[in-house]
């Protein structure tokens, strides 16, 4: 409804009131309705008219069906906008390519917040509209200018409990101690978590971890190389190195750790101690085909605790909205990376550090592990 | 004369859509990559300079060439033996050879890589068996290293090595072999001094195809190398998608394409394209 039609509606109402067809009180009520309804109707003819579809790009696998079940279908029901899931992996380079093409086909991306900081500075992302997305429905410190956290996962130690018996590792020092815990290890191929693990093992206190002392971390990693059987590049690979016994201890995503525990019949266990908490976030591409407002509304709708609970059940994602914690049944709290009991044992990755240093650090890391 | 000309015209017309497709789908976008290599992050030759000084890029290039060379030698030798059986064996032998060549063709590269992990890992079939018969006490490191990469790539590339060899062996005139035997040459001597030299073009073609293919391998080294045997394609991926450092990634791609181009030019000096199929 445009301003003109609104004016006409009120004019006709006042004419009716003048003729005594409706009472004065009815007139004010109806006029208020017309005025209140207008902004919403305006939006529906504006942004919504062009946005009948949003494309959300995530990391694929089970995430495609889970995102659809938790967020996509409900959003379509509420707004009439279909949400298509694309599992092709929104790496920083891929998002950058979408933006530079000048005609992005993606709307929302499940992005690493540090990539969002870099991409936002390049102008590739829309700033998050915190009038639509509620900052209070996020854990403090996990909403950024260009990305809003929607879940958490963690890099944690998983280990072969049969091999180590009652002696469970208690932190990164044990991970790097092959005398006390003999056997092969597996680390992440793309560096994230390996630097922190090496420094924690080398005796740096969690509070003074950042900025990372890369030289020291790389020395530690280089000296440890012969104990590493494989550097895994994806979740499935991290599961298989533990399940087929190639590694006796590995730093893996918490979302996979509970699956590994299940698949091994409890033989492979995991700990939260010195786990490295990492937020997952949604960001909106600049000039996205579905419209900025629709995308922001989608992010706001994904803050719903019930929906985040579905993601926890399906993928083990720690909820971004603290209100979800209370909905998680007691026996499942153990596998929630941001459950208060688990969270206090862990350390959050510093996204600003990663935004500035990741590229160069990864080069150096790759050089060392593949030398 | 008339029909010869119209044949050529017809062939050109039939080829045109393919050529157009190749230009649109490969050559045109690749010009964009060339542009990036000179313009990102700042215009100039900086990225090519970096190629000469960056020790990660250099070590990966050298590793890629070394692995490609080893894979080429092993694949061509194995393919040679298989092809002899395929082309000159009894009908039953030919059937077995065909089976060995074609079945791997139909299985995805990913499945084959994971298959090798299952065979070669610490608790894989081979290590378990060797330990069971008491041949070794500790599992051998057969995978998640360069050895695993070479095994996986060789397995993938043998069928590609077979076709140029088969083409060369089929076009060989049997009477030459009979003449050699008739003049008193032993079977082995006939093979090494007559048969092998006369299939030289097949060997060169086969080696070139395998070598060029090896340079671009991505999935197999990523899975079987365990992060320790990064090859050039994975390094490009890292630069473009993980770092993301498009300028250097593009420069590496351009150098790789030029390198392959030179190799192909050399190949076609010695071998006619039709001999490769």
């Amino acid at each position: 409804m445009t301003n003109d039609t609104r004016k006409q509606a009120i004019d006709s109402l006042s004419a009716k009131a003048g003729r005594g067809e409706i009472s004065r009180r009815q007139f004010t009520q109806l006029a208020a309705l017309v005025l209140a309804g207008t902004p919403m109707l305006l939006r529906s003819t504006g942004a919504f008219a062009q946005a009948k579809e949003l494309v959300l790009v995530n990391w694929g696998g089970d995430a495609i069906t889970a995102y659809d079940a938790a967020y996509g279908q409900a959003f379509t029901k509420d707004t009439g906008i279909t949400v298509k899931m694309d599992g092709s992996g929104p790496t920083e380079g891929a998002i950058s390519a979408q933006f530079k093409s000048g005609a992005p086909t993606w709307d929302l991306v499940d992005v690493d917040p540090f990539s969002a900081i870099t991409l936002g500075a390049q102008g590739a992302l829309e700033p998050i509209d915190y009038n639509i997305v509620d900052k209070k429905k996020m854990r403090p410190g996990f909403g950024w200018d260009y990305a809003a956290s929607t879940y958490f996962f963690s890099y944690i130690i998983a280990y072969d409990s049969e091999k180590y018996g009652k002696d469970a590792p208690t932190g990164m020092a044990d991970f790097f101690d092959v005398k006390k815990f003999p056997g092969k290890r597996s680390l992440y191929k793309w560096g994230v978590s390996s630097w922190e693990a090496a420094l924690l093992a080398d005796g740096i206190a969690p509070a003074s971890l950042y900025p990372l002392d890369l030289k020291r971390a790389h020395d530690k990693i280089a000296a440890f190389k012969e104990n590493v059987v494989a550097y895994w590049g994806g979740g499935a690979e991290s599961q298989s190195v533990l399940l087929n016994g190639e590694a006796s201890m590995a730093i893996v995503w918490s979302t996979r750790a509970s699956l590994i525990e299940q698949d091994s019949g409890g033989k492979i266990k995991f700990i939260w101690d010195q786990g490295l908490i990492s937020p997952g976030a949604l960001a909106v591409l600049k000039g996205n085909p579905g419209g900025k407002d629709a995308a922001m509304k989608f992010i706001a709708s994904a803050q719903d605790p019930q929906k985040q609970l579905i993601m926890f059940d399906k993928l083990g994602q720690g909820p971004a909205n603290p209100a979800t914690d209370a909905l998680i049944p007691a026996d499942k709290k153990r596998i929630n990376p941001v459950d208060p009991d688990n969270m206090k044992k862990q350390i959050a990755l510093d996204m600003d550090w990663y935004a500035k240093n990741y590229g160069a650090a990864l080069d150096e890391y790759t050089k060392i592990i593949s030398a | 004369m008339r029909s010869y000309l119209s044949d050529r015209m017809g062939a050109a017309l039939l080829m045109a859509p393919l050529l157009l497709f190749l230009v649109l789908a490969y050559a045109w976008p690749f010009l964009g990559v060339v542009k990036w290599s000179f313009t990102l992050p700042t215009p100039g030759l900086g990225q090519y300079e970096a190629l000469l000084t960056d020790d990660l890029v250099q070590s990966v290039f050298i590793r890629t060439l070394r692995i490609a060379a080893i894979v080429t030698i092993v694949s061509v030798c194995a393919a040679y033996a298989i092809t002899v059986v395929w082309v000159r064996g009894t009908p039953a032998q030919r059937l077995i050879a065909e089976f060995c060549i074609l079945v791997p063709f139909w299985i995805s590269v990913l499945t084959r890589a994971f298959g090798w992990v299952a065979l070669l890992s610490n608790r894989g079939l081979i290590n378990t068996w060797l330990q069971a018969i008491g041949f070794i006490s500790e599992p051998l490191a057969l995978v998640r290293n360069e050895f695993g990469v070479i095994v996986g790539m060789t397995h993938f590339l043998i069928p590609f090595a077979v076709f140029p060899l088969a083409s060369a062996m089929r076009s060989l005139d049997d009477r030459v072999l009979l003449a050699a035997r008739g003049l008193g040459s032993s079977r082995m001597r006939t093979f090494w001094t007559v048969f092998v030299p006369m299939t030289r073009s097949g060997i060169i073609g086969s080696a070139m195809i395998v070598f060029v293919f090896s340079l671009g391998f991505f999935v197999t080294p990523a899975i079987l190398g365990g992060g320790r045997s990064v090859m050039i394609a994975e390094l490009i991926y890292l630069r473009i998608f993980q770092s993301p450092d498009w300028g250097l990634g593009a420069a590496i791609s351009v150098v790789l394409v030029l390198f392959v181009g030179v190799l192909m030019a050399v190949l076609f000096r010695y071998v006619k394209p039709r001999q490769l199929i």
Side-chain angles (χ1 to χ4, degrees):
Chain A
M1 198 185 276
T2 64
N3 277 331
D4 276 342
T5 55
R6 182 176 61 178
K7 196 163 164 283
Q8 270 171 24
I10 292 175
D11 282 348
S12 100
L13 277 176
S14 61
K16 280 182 182 175
R19 289 195 297 270
E21 284 171 34
I22 51 171
S23 73
R24 255 210 122 62
R25 203 169 142 209
Q26 275 174 313
F27 168 73
T28 37
Q29 280 173 345
L30 286 167
L33 252 176
V34 171
L35 288 169
T38 305
M40 215 154 90
L41 290 165
L42 268 181
R43 252 176 296 168
S44 77
T45 51
F48 278 22
Q50 50 173 309
K52 283 295 167 209
E53 182 184 291
L54 289 173
V55 176
L56 189 158
V57 187
N58 60 28
W59 301 91
D62 295 340
I64 293 175
T65 47
Y67 272 80
D68 191 47
Y71 301 134
Q73 287 171 15
F75 189 72
T76 307
K77 218 174 127 209
D78 293 345
T79 61
I81 301 170
T82 45
V83 186
K84 278 195 181 154
M85 302 298 163
D86 173 340
S88 54
T91 57
E92 202 172 311
I95 298 171
S96 196
Q98 277 277 323
F99 170 68
K100 284 179 189 160
S101 76
T105 56
W106 294 354
D107 295 287
L108 292 145
V109 283
D110 178 356
V111 72
D112 282 317
F114 61 83
S115 294
I117 295 172
T118 311
L119 290 164
Q122 291 170 9
L125 300 176
E126 295 282 359
I128 297 295
D129 185 345
Y130 283 109
N131 293 318
I132 301 177
V133 178
D134 190 349
K135 216 160 193 171
K136 286 199 291 291
K137 293 181 180 169
M138 280 190 256
R139 285 167 214 274
F142 293 106
W144 301 268
D145 290 349
Y146 295 96
S149 61
T150 47
Y151 67 95
F152 287 85
F153 64 100
S154 187
Y155 294 86
I156 56 173
I157 297 175
Y159 65 99
D160 186 336
S161 68
E162 243 166 49
K163 185 153 182 163
Y164 302 134
K166 277 183 191 159
D167 292 327
T170 56
M172 295 304 175
D174 287 345
F175 187 87
F176 279 83
D177 188 345
V178 282
K179 280 211 184 76
K180 204 165 144 201
F181 294 93
K184 294 290 184 188
R185 305 291 198 262
S186 185
L187 284 164
Y188 189 38
K189 192 195 241 173
W190 308 119
V192 185
S193 78
S194 301
W195 299 299
E196 287 86 350
L199 292 172
L200 289 167
D202 220 24
I204 291 189
S208 41
L209 205 48
Y210 295 96
L212 296 180
D213 182 346
L214 279 177
K215 168 86 179 62
R216 191 165 161 185
H218 284 139
D219 287 348
K220 181 95 178 167
I221 291 164
F224 192 66
K225 254 173 67 174
E226 62 182 88
N227 301 302
V228 179
V229 66
Y231 296 85
W232 56 271
E237 207 179 347
S238 73
Q239 281 168 265
S240 77
V241 289
L242 282 165
L243 288 173
N244 67 25
E246 283 179 86
S248 319
M249 214 189 277
I251 297 178
V252 299
W253 294 326
S254 60
T255 44
R256 302 289 173 146
S258 47
L259 293 174
I260 302 171
E261 193 182 66
Q262 264 173 39
D263 291 349
S264 67
K267 179 169 170 277
I268 311 286
K269 291 186 164 48
F270 61 89
I271 58 167
W272 291 107
D273 306 74
Q274 298 197 326
L276 298 153
I277 290 245
S278 176
L282 283 178
V284 179
L285 256 100
K286 179 83 110 205
N288 67 312
K292 188 185 84 171
D293 279 358
M296 293 298 163
K297 281 204 187 74
F298 180 88
I299 298 178
S301 81
Q303 295 186 300
D304 177 44
Q306 289 294 345
K307 293 178 185 170
Q308 292 190 358
L309 185 66
I310 301 178
M311 294 305 278
F312 173 75
D313 281 339
K314 286 192 181 288
L315 296 181
Q317 289 187 347
N321 187 343
T324 316
D325 292 354
L327 304 176
I328 294 177
D331 62 322
K332 291 263 183 72
K333 285 191 192 302
R334 190 179 67 90
I335 60 170
N336 176 12
V338 284
D339 183 82
D341 278 347
N342 299 331
M343 193 130 174
K344 70 183 180 208
K345 296 178 185 165
Q346 303 178 77
I347 304 146
L349 297 178
D350 182 335
M351 290 301 146
D352 288 314
W353 184 88
Y354 272 96
K356 280 191 212 87
N357 301 296
Y358 182 48
L362 176 60
D363 273 358
E364 194 61 33
Y365 180 75
T366 309
K367 206 180 292 179
I368 287 165
I369 66 172
S370 73
Chain B
M1 190 65 198
R2 192 202 61 84
S3 95
Y4 173 72
L5 259 183
S6 65
D7 272 2
R8 284 187 57 150
M9 291 283 286
L13 274 175
L14 287 172
M15 289 292 289
L18 178 66
L19 199 68
L20 192 71
F21 173 78
L22 286 176
V23 168
L24 285 179
Y26 290 100
W28 182 249
F30 188 72
L31 285 180
V33 176
V34 175
K35 194 180 133 203
W36 294 342
S37 74
F38 291 109
T39 55
L40 294 174
T42 49
L45 289 169
Q47 296 303 341
Y48 290 93
E49 225 178 284
L51 276 188
L52 296 172
T53 52
D54 187 319
D55 38 346
L56 174 60
V57 176
Q58 287 181 357
S59 70
V60 170
F61 248 114
I62 291 167
R63 173 183 301 115
T64 307
L65 292 178
R66 183 180 63 233
I67 292 179
I70 297 171
V71 168
T72 304
I73 294 167
V74 179
S75 302
V76 173
C77 291
Y80 203 92
I82 294 171
T83 314
V84 170
V85 175
W86 187 31
V87 174
R88 310 190 67 87
T90 65
Q93 287 171 331
R94 285 182 197 198
L95 196 68
I96 295 170
E98 250 158 50
F99 186 77
C100 294
I101 296 160
L102 291 176
V103 167
F105 245 4
W106 298 326
I107 302 171
S108 99
V109 60
L110 210 60
T111 313
R112 285 203 249 170
F114 280 114
W116 279 112
V117 171
L119 276 176
L120 300 176
S121 70
N122 282 0
R123 291 188 202 165
L125 278 178
I126 293 175
N127 270 319
T128 317
W129 179 71
L130 287 176
Q131 278 172 306
I133 61 167
F135 195 71
I136 51 169
S137 56
E138 280 292 299
L140 301 172
L142 300 174
V143 75
R144 312 287 187 194
N145 52 27
E146 216 166 287
F147 178 81
V149 175
I150 290 169
V151 170
M153 285 175 63
T154 304
H155 178 227
F156 187 88
L157 288 167
I158 284 176
F160 293 92
V162 162
F163 296 114
L165 290 171
S167 164
M169 287 183 201
R170 288 211 175 97
S171 59
L172 187 82
D173 191 339
D174 274 4
R175 286 171 300 183
V176 182
L177 302 177
L178 282 173
R181 295 281 284 143
L183 290 169
S185 163
S186 72
R187 287 175 73 96
M188 280 316 266
R189 185 153 176 223
T190 310
F191 178 76
W192 285 112
T193 59
V194 181
F195 189 80
V196 172
M198 289 195 75
T199 53
R200 201 190 56 169
S201 70
I203 297 171
I204 297 174
S206 162
M208 284 291 196
I209 283 188
V210 173
F211 190 77
V212 167
F213 259 119
S214 302
L215 296 176
F217 259 60
F218 179 80
V219 172
T220 309
I223 293 171
L224 295 170
R228 259 182 303 237
S229 304
V230 175
M231 285 177 70
I232 204 78
E234 203 179 355
L235 185 66
I236 295 172
Y237 170 85
L238 190 149
R239 295 291 182 170
I240 302 272
F241 289 104
Q242 293 282 343
S243 286
D245 181 0
W246 285 19
L248 193 57
I252 301 171
S253 311
V254 171
V255 169
L256 186 62
V257 168
L258 283 178
F259 186 69
V260 169
V262 170
L263 280 182
M264 295 309 281
V266 172
L267 168 68
F268 289 133
R269 279 196 61 167
Y270 293 100
V271 188
K272 290 193 191 76
R274 78 174 58 158
Q275 287 177 306
L276 293 177
I277 334 155

